Structure formats: C-alpha cells, structure tokens
Amino acid sequence: MTRSVPSARRPLGRSLLLCLSVLLALLATLLVAGCGGPEEGGDAQGKDHSRTTEATGGKGSPGEPGSPGATPLADTDWATVIDGIDCTGAGNEGVEILDTRFADVRGTGVPDAFVWFTCRHQASTYPQQLEVYDGSSSPDAPRRIGVLLSAEEKANGPGPRVGAVSFSGKSVTIDLAAYTPDDPFCCPSLRVERTFTWNGKSFERKPGK
C-alpha cells in the first residue's frame, strides 16, 4: 500500500498568502498617511503664517507708518496733556481726540506722534488742530515739535477737517476737507492736500499746498 505524505507546499502557500495580505494592509496604511500628510502640513504652515502676521502687524512694528512701535507715547492720554488749543469759546468742555498716527519721519529710530483734535462743543462744528510730538519724550509731558493744522485757520467756516494722514520718507501728507463760501458747516466740499517735510529743524510746508 502506498502512503500519502502531506505536501510541504500547502503550509508554505498559506504563509505566503498571509504575508502578502499583511504587506498589502501595510501599504494601504502608508498610502492613506501619505495622502493626508501634505494637507496637514499646509494647515500647519497656515497657522504659523497667521501667528507671524499677528506679531508684525498693528502695534508690533517700531517705525512702521501709522504704528506706535516702541515710542513711550503709545499709551499717552492726549486729552489730558494737550494744551495748545483754546476751548473757552466752546464752553471749556475739554479736548476731543479725533485720531492719532505714529511715524518716524525724522529718522530718529522712534516714531513721533501725529495727533489731531478739536474742542468738545454741543452746538456746532469746532475747528480742528493737528500737532506733532517727539516720540522720545515723556508720555506725561510730551514735547510738541510742530503744528501742521491750526484751529485758528477759519477760512469760510470752522476751518479744514482732517480726512487722512499718510507718510513717505521724511514727509507727511494731510488730506483735508475745506469749506467754500457756500458750504454749510456740516458739509465741506473742497478737497485739499498739504505736504510737510522735516528739514532737520522743523516741518516745512510744500509751497502751493
């Protein structure tokens, strides 16, 4: 009688199939991880970029036009320190700060403060004034280094109103809304642009502006 001897190939075949299945499963896992990798990396880069933007924007950039940067005047209470305007005609209700900009137009490394304001007044529009303060001076007693718009200028009404202030190198440009003889106090219709340049000692106004 002939005996049947189990073939050794059968267990070997099953082992190969098992190994192949494991390899396929591992390959599938790597492919899924590979597809998700770039997307996750992109999100991470986006978050890093957002943090960089927050760190360099707003108040965080010394010398950047419009930003207080490292000047001691960044947190000055301007309404309590400004005394260059006579508000008796407005009933002495105090100074109203309209806006503030910071820029290093003098090249000192510290941004100066450009502050425009008016007197608080219940009845009508009051003239505006724009002053410049040394960015290195004390926040409790800032040193005024220029007046670019005076409240005494009252041509055809209460005087020009500041619309915008921009900077370029050593120059500052003020966009003003001024009055014509026919304008009501509410609505100045004339647009005027004035440019001042720091000459080493003072702000010199560009002729014709």
Side-chain angles (χ1 to χ4, degrees):
M1 173 183 275
T2 304
R3 270 188 181 171
S4 174
V5 178
S7 175
R9 294 183 179 179
R10 291 180 184 175
L12 179 60
R14 286 196 295 268
S15 298
L16 288 175
L17 287 175
L18 181 60
C19 291
L20 183 59
S21 299
V22 172
L23 287 174
L24 289 175
L26 180 60
L27 180 60
T29 303
L30 291 175
L31 287 175
V32 171
C35 291
E39 183 176 352
E40 293 172 0
D43 291 343
Q45 289 178 356
K47 292 177 183 178
D48 290 343
H49 180 268
S50 174
R51 286 194 292 269
T52 302
T53 301
E54 292 173 1
T56 57
K59 293 186 177 183
S61 304
E64 178 185 351
S67 170
T71 172
L73 304 184
D75 298 318
T76 297
D77 185 358
W78 295 105
T80 64
V81 298
I82 287 177
D83 58 5
I85 187 172
D86 183 7
C87 291
T88 55
N92 279 333
E93 295 186 21
V95 173
E96 178 183 358
I97 305 302
L98 301 175
D99 212 341
T100 307
R101 292 289 184 273
F102 294 84
D104 181 18
V105 297
R106 296 187 298 147
T108 62
V110 179
D112 296 320
F114 294 74
V115 187
W116 57 103
F117 51 89
T118 186
C119 292
R120 295 188 183 276
H121 196 234
Q122 299 289 337
S124 63
T125 301
Y126 205 80
Q128 295 184 7
Q129 186 154 313
L130 193 157
E131 299 180 351
V132 189
Y133 290 86
D134 182 352
S136 299
S137 57
S138 168
D140 298 323
R143 184 174 72 90
R144 189 175 69 181
I145 57 177
V147 178
L148 307 188
L149 176 65
S150 173
E152 297 300 318
E153 184 179 340
K154 301 178 182 180
N156 302 319
R161 300 183 188 180
V162 178
V165 176
S166 57
F167 308 93
S168 178
K170 294 185 177 182
S171 297
V172 51
T173 298
I174 308 171
D175 292 324
L176 299 169
Y179 290 87
T180 68
D182 299 325
D183 288 340
F185 281 179
C186 70
C187 311
S189 62
L190 185 63
R191 296 297 178 265
V192 179
E193 183 181 274
R194 295 179 183 175
T195 298
F196 297 81
T197 302
W198 180 254
N199 61 15
K201 296 181 179 180
S202 63
F203 287 95
E204 184 177 350
R205 182 173 168 180
K206 184 177 179 179
K209 296 291 184 179

